[in-house]
């Protein structure tokens, strides 16, 4: 684990500032409260604090390798008690040697200002303070790593769920379209060939899309029109399309292929089961930076609807939850002759 003073310049500045403050504090005590000369007070404060400047940084390596999880409570205490004795011993010894060198013949030894037993007590206290601070840094780093790891796991789960949803869309659409082609093969073979060509173009587009990515409404509706042309080959005048799209909606973003299941349902439950013309209406508008799309179709209330398992609507709801983190963006309104799905897409810069 990288040393916090080497990794972060701000931490190094704070460390040096703290050391200077402590040195200045000892100087003031010696000069002002003990009545020593400025020179003696400076030498005493510097000789005691200089070892701390080096040892304080080195204590990090003790903290990194002494873990309560690995050693247990007593092992943890024993290791730090031993390390504390070594550190304090080195500290007080270096401070004494510096004091002897700097004072020379006038050296007053260990008890110049602070008695040696108070120096040892203070050194142990500072050692405890430093290791507590380092453990807080380690705890904070582990907490940040855990948050990052959880975020990465959630992203992986989200990717997996989106991939699973995509695997539902294409086979679902392909199944319905191939059924349509099969219906036309004998009755209108030329139409079936046209439908196969358009189906190929559409599939090439849809397979290249990433469900996580957003697409402009204009592009998405272009793709939808291509799909509806495929179905119109089969149903002819029984299928009518009505797109009410204002110009300020065209470049707004929606998830790729999220509208596709709604048009599939309109064909399956509306056009397919009705002898009368069915209109699939798409209305788009913008309110408070939210793109609101309404897709509706009429249906024959007397017909027996084909059995469905609700994959399309469920797919849309799950994708809205995954991408926007909201469950209130889709609303279904079923009337006597009309089925409407209202969708909302918040326009955000980055999801």
């Amino acid at each position: 684990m990288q040393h916090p003073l080497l990794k972060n310049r701000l931490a190094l500045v704070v460390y040096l500032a703290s050391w200077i403050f402590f040195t200045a504090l000892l100087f003031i005590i010696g000069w002002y409260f003990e009545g020593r000369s400025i020179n003696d007070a400076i030498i005493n404060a510097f000789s005691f604090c200089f070892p701390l400047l080096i040892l304080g940084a080195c204590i990090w390596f003790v903290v990194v390798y002494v873990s309560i999880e690995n050693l247990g409570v007593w092992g943890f205490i024993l290791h730090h008690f031993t390390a504390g004795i070594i550190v304090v011993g080195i500290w007080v010894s270096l401070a004494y040697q510096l004091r002897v060198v700097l004072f020379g013949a006038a050296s007053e030894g260990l008890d110049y200002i602070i008695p040696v037993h108070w120096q040892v007590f203070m050194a142990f206290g500072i050692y405890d303070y430093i290791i507590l601070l380092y453990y807080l840094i380690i705890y904070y780093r582990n907490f940040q790593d855990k948050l990052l790891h959880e975020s990465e796991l959630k992203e992986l789960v989200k990717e997996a769920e989106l991939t699973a949803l995509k695997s539902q869309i294409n086979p679902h659409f392909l199944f319905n379209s191939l059924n349509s082609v099969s219906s036309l093969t004998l009755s209108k073979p030329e139409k079936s060939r046209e439908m196969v060509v358009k189906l190929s173009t559409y599939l090439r587009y849809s397979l290249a899309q990433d469900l996580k990515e957003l697409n402009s409404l204009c592009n998405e509706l272009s793709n939808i029109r291509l799909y509806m042309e495929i179905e119109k080959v089969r149903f002819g005048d029984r299928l009518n399309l009505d797109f009410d799209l204002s110009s300020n909606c065209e470049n707004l973003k929606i998830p790729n292929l999220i509208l596709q299941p709604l048009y599939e349902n309109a064909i399956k439950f509306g056009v397919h089961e009705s002898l009368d013309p069915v209109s699939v209406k798409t209305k788009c508008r913008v309110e408070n930076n939210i793109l609101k799309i309404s897709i509706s179709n009429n249906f024959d209330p007397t017909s027996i609807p084909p059995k469905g398992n609700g994959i399309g609507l469920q797919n849309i709801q799950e994708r809205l939850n995954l991408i926007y983190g909201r469950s209130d963006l889709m609303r279904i309104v079923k009337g006597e002759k009309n089925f409407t799905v209202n969708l909302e897409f918040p326009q955000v810069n980055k999801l």
Side-chain angles (χ1 to χ4, degrees):
M1 188 175 290
Q2 192 173 9
H3 200 294
L5 301 181
L6 300 178
K7 184 179 180 180
N8 190 329
R9 290 184 177 180
L10 178 60
L12 180 60
V13 171
V14 172
Y15 178 77
L16 292 175
S18 301
W19 179 82
I20 293 173
F21 174 78
F22 183 66
T23 305
L25 186 63
L26 287 185
F27 164 74
I28 292 173
I29 292 174
W31 171 64
Y32 185 78
F33 292 101
E34 297 289 336
R36 305 289 179 173
S37 66
I38 294 179
N39 182 64
D40 287 353
I42 290 176
I43 291 176
N44 181 73
F46 178 78
S47 62
F48 186 76
C49 293
F50 180 73
L52 175 62
L53 182 64
I54 301 173
L55 292 173
C58 295
I59 291 173
W60 167 258
F61 300 102
V62 177
V63 171
V64 168
Y65 291 104
V66 177
S67 167
I68 195 170
E69 289 82 6
N70 297 330
L71 301 173
V73 175
W74 291 110
F76 176 83
I77 294 175
L78 180 61
H79 277 74
H80 270 301
F81 181 73
T82 305
I85 291 176
I86 296 173
V87 170
V88 170
I90 295 174
W91 182 355
V92 175
S93 299
L94 285 176
Y96 174 74
Q97 293 301 324
L98 280 173
R99 198 170 294 133
V100 170
V101 171
L102 295 173
F103 277 114
S107 171
E108 298 185 38
L110 290 172
D111 292 332
Y112 172 61
I113 292 178
I114 307 173
V116 66
H117 62 279
W118 283 112
Q119 292 181 33
V120 173
F121 181 79
M122 181 187 295
F124 264 113
I126 293 175
Y127 173 83
D128 292 340
Y129 172 77
I130 292 175
I131 64 171
L132 176 62
L133 191 62
Y134 280 149
Y135 277 118
L136 287 176
I137 292 174
I138 293 176
Y139 174 79
Y140 176 75
R141 285 184 177 181
N142 290 338
F143 180 70
Q144 292 295 320
D145 290 342
K146 183 179 179 181
L147 290 180
L148 179 62
H149 185 61
E150 287 182 353
S151 176
E152 291 174 347
L153 284 178
K154 287 181 180 179
E155 190 65 22
L156 289 175
V157 171
K158 185 177 177 181
E159 291 275 358
E161 291 180 351
L162 285 172
T163 302
L165 292 173
K166 183 177 182 181
S167 68
Q168 291 178 350
I169 289 179
N170 287 325
H172 192 221
F173 162 72
L174 186 60
F175 174 78
N176 291 338
S177 298
L178 288 178
N179 275 342
S180 300
V181 173
S182 176
S183 301
L184 291 174
T185 301
L186 295 178
S187 60
K188 298 177 181 178
E190 69 286 353
K191 292 290 186 182
S192 67
R193 285 195 296 273
E194 180 183 347
M195 192 171 178
V196 168
V197 172
K198 291 185 176 181
L199 176 62
S200 174
T201 304
Y202 178 83
L203 282 178
R204 187 181 303 113
Y205 171 85
S206 62
L207 290 174
Q209 302 305 305
D210 184 349
L211 292 188
K212 184 183 177 183
E213 300 296 331
L214 302 180
N215 197 1
S216 69
L217 177 63
C218 181
N219 290 337
E220 193 64 17
L221 288 182
S222 297
N223 186 56
I224 291 297
R225 287 189 177 94
L226 180 58
Y227 165 75
M228 297 304 279
E229 287 177 5
I230 294 172
E231 297 295 354
K232 199 170 177 57
V233 171
R234 177 184 176 191
F235 294 104
D237 294 337
R238 289 173 52 201
L239 173 59
N240 298 312
L241 303 176
D242 181 8
F243 289 91
D244 181 5
L245 175 66
S246 58
S247 58
N248 61 344
C249 296
E250 292 182 348
N251 293 322
L252 299 184
K253 303 295 184 181
I254 63 173
N256 279 328
L257 300 175
I258 199 166
L259 302 181
Q260 172 68 33
L262 298 180
Y263 292 93
E264 290 184 31
N265 285 347
I267 297 297
K268 182 178 180 180
F269 298 100
V271 183
H272 189 273
E273 300 301 321
S274 177
L275 297 177
D276 297 326
V278 172
S279 295
V280 181
K281 299 180 179 179
T282 304
K283 184 176 182 180
C284 307
R285 65 187 187 281
V286 184
E287 292 183 5
N288 299 323
N289 205 32
I290 297 176
L291 174 60
K292 297 184 177 182
I293 300 177
S294 172
I295 300 173
S296 63
N297 65 274
N298 58 301
F299 61 90
D300 183 0
T302 61
S303 65
I304 300 176
K307 185 178 181 181
N309 49 22
I311 287 179
L313 295 176
Q314 181 182 350
N315 188 298
I316 294 173
Q317 184 64 66
E318 290 180 2
R319 289 187 63 196
L320 290 173
N321 290 343
L322 287 171
I323 295 175
Y324 296 99
R326 292 177 55 180
S327 59
D328 60 341
L329 298 178
M330 183 174 75
R331 185 167 56 89
I332 300 172
V333 180
K334 186 176 182 180
E336 292 183 359
K337 295 183 179 180
N338 282 279
F339 185 85
T340 303
V341 177
N342 298 299
L343 296 171
E344 295 184 3
F345 300 96
Q347 299 301 299
V348 292
N349 294 329
K350 185 178 182 180
L351 296 174

